[in-house]
Amino acid sequence: MKPLLINGEWVATASAAENRNPSDLSDVIDLYAHAGVPETQAAMDAAAAAAPGWAATSPQQRFEILNRAADELALRRQEIGTLLSREEGKTLREGLLEAERAANIFRFFAGECVRQTGDLLPSVRPGIDVEVTREPLGVVGIITPWNFPIAIPAWKIAPALCYGNAVVFKPAELVPGCAWVLADILKRAGVPDGVFNLVTGKGSVVGQALLESHLIDGITFTGSQTIGHRVAASCLERLRKVQLEMGGKNPLVVLNDADLDQAVDVAVDGAFFSTGQRCTASSRLIVTEDICGRFIEKLADRCKALTVGNALAEGTEIGPVASADQLETDLRYIEIGRAQGGNLRCGGERLRRETDGYYLQPALFTDTTNDMRINREEVFGPVASVIRVKDYDEALHVANETEFGLCAGICTTSLKHSSHFRKNSKAGMVMVNLPTAGVDYHVPFGGRKGSSFGPREQGRYAAEFFTTVKTGYVRA
Ligand code: UN1
């Protein structure tokens, strides 16, 4: 059994959960500890006790620890990428890139440790100086989803530690493997006992204990809207800081003047890579009239030709769906799409492969309207739909006509339309001639409306959530 990490000790639990490979259900990766409330409490106590000492470490000490973690993540890229693909189901290529991304994130925040700044300015009153500095929040609860098992933990844990916070980390139940490796790396990189704690287990037990404890000063969460709202309500009640990232229904607009081949590539990547299981996935393809027929033809051909298979097999372009529950959700939405009048142009059927897994042929709907449920609700699977529109103005309107606002894309060769779209899209991130998914690690990440709440993640903007500001007045 892979144990919990509490106060620098590996702690086994009475119960454990199996971690199975969605590409091959006969493959059990390992057993992982299932924490109860007492273990979660012990982790929070340890973090609270260790937080002041960590906050007092020098930037150089923190730099060295995070940099060592980055080194090891990079060194073990192959092993971590393979484990990631085995437990989550994205292709090995995607798994390796994600492992690399995690290393880069740690490297970036290692640098940020020694790059922290404040403001020093004259007071409006003579003879007085004002300084504005940032201090750690304290103990941060980190709750992460299954779709980026190493990158999302990295982009929450690295800044938390960089800015001097102690951490209690609760990864998604489906992907304890990468979380465990990361904990092992952090421990060996020299993170002091209690500063970083790993508590694998159920959301209803571990997550709930984090929500209810007065020892937690802030919670950063990525996951579903339903749970996100619960996290927010509980943080609001206790007046504690919260950061939520909850998904999208991201539009990709394709205009008549787009480079057709490029637009099809962008759509295939945005909609279907990582099996469509990205909150940044392009699920609404909003296409203007004159190019629509040709775009659908080409996209459907590409969709049908996508190689769906074992995540670890060479040549696989689309891995399996991550779990039985998610597969059921995907199939249910495909049925809803049909029932509401969408034309299932291709895909959408379960596939058999050599090994028993959750294989699904990417589904493309055409003739859909923006009010259909498949265009309103996040499916989180390889399901995309084409919405045909008259012109750019209608495309922009439809793109913004959603309760989400994470990312929006446009494929066009027109400077006028791309500039207008960048300025008028009601999303937190805008892509021109690029897939909506697949972001850089050194710039802010986050959305508007129902997609996100609280300060942005990643890059220097991460300081906003993981620190609290102090204003000092000094009379000389
Ligand atoms: C990406 O598209 O590169 O859960 C990252 C998600 C997002 C991360 C997307 N928070 O899918």
Side-chain angles (χ1 to χ4, degrees), residues 352-364:
R352 301 240 158 272
R353 291 292 177 260
E354 237 167 72
T355 49
D356 186 19
Y358 305 122
Y359 300 105
L360 178 66
Q361 186 69 34
L364 178 67

Side-chain angles (χ1 to χ4, degrees), residues 101 145 147-148 152 155 222 245 277-280 380 406 436-439 445 457:
R101 193 198 298 207
N147 64 330
F148 282 87
I152 294 180
W155 84 49
T222 299
E245 212 284 285
Q277 298 171 152
R278 296 185 283 191
C279 58
T280 43
F380 219 61
L406 185 59
T436 52
V439 299
F445 178 93
E457 301 191 84

Side-chain angles (χ1 to χ4, degrees), residues 397-409:
H397 174 78
V398 171
N400 284 334
E401 180 48 45
T402 168
E403 68 159 299
F404 293 100
L406 185 59
C407 196

Side-chain angles (χ1 to χ4, degrees), residues 37-340:
V37 173
E39 289 94 350
T40 312
Q41 187 59 47
M44 292 188 289
D45 289 340
W54 181 245
T57 52
S58 74
Q60 179 67 19
Q61 261 173 295
R62 298 208 290 273
F63 161 79
E64 281 166 14
I65 292 172
L66 294 196
N67 201 40
R68 270 199 293 275
D71 283 345
E72 188 164 341
L73 282 162
L75 206 69
R76 291 170 62 184
R77 162 185 179 272
Q78 191 71 33
E79 170 207 339
I80 295 169
T82 306
L83 171 65
L84 197 166
S85 296
R86 195 170 156 214
E87 75 172 346
E88 197 271 351
K90 65 181 66 174
T91 63
L92 183 56
R93 186 187 143 270
E94 293 168 330
L96 294 173
L97 284 172
E98 195 183 324
E100 221 169 271
R101 193 198 298 207
N104 285 327
I105 290 166
F106 269 90
R107 190 89 64 207
F108 176 87
F109 283 107
E112 284 305 286
C113 293
V114 287
R115 224 179 276 128
Q116 290 174 39
T117 57
D119 294 327
L120 179 63
L121 54 159
S123 160
V124 291
R125 290 170 282 162
I128 297 175
D129 282 336
V130 181
E131 60 171 32
V132 184
T133 50
R134 289 188 178 274
E135 294 182 1
L137 208 50
V139 178
V140 179
I142 294 181
I143 305 176
T144 57
W146 48 260
N147 64 330
F148 282 87
I150 196 90
I152 294 180
W155 84 49
K156 293 182 190 291
I157 294 165
L161 296 176
C162 161
Y163 298 114
N165 301 283
V167 169
V168 180
F169 171 38
K170 189 250 170 261
E173 272 175 86
L174 268 186
V175 290
C178 287
W180 196 88
V181 170
L182 186 55
D184 185 42
I185 288 176
L186 289 172
K187 182 170 161 55
R188 279 175 321 95
V191 176
D193 294 352
V195 170
F196 173 82
N197 303 276
L198 169 71
V199 198
T200 44
K202 281 192 180 308
S204 56
V205 178
V206 178
Q208 193 58 32
L210 295 181
L211 292 190
E212 286 170 8
S213 171
H214 68 278
L215 293 175
I216 300 285
D217 300 297
I219 294 195
T220 173
F221 166 90
T222 299
S224 72
Q225 261 192 333
T226 317
I227 307 290
H229 285 195
R230 215 179 292 162
V231 172
S234 127
C235 287
L236 190 63
E237 199 182 311
R238 292 167 178 81
L239 295 182
R240 98 181 136 201
K241 232 169 157 179
V242 64
Q243 180 180 55
L244 306 175
E245 212 284 285
M246 297 168 293
K249 199 68 219 172
N250 309 293
L252 175 69
V253 169
V254 179
L255 296 185
N256 291 340
D257 62 17
D259 172 331
L260 182 60
D261 289 332
Q262 185 185 64
V264 169
D265 282 347
V266 164
V268 169
D269 178 330
F272 302 130
F273 284 4
S274 295
T275 321
Q277 298 171 152
R278 296 185 283 191
C279 58
T280 43
S282 324
S283 49
R284 294 184 298 140
L285 310 174
I286 302 166
V287 190
T288 50
E289 265 166 10
D290 288 357
I291 200 172
C292 198
R294 284 175 292 143
F295 176 78
I296 290 172
E297 279 309 310
K298 280 213 162 185
L299 182 59
D301 287 349
R302 284 286 299 282
C303 273
K304 284 183 237 164
L306 285 169
T307 312
V308 181
N310 192 310
L312 295 172
E314 201 162 328
T316 294
E317 291 173 288
I318 309 285
V321 174
S323 70
D325 282 354
Q326 186 59 54
L327 179 63
E328 203 185 300
T329 302
D330 296 352
L331 292 169
R332 184 159 36 87
Y333 271 108
I334 290 166
E335 257 333 291
I336 291 170
R338 273 201 181 118
Q340 290 197 319

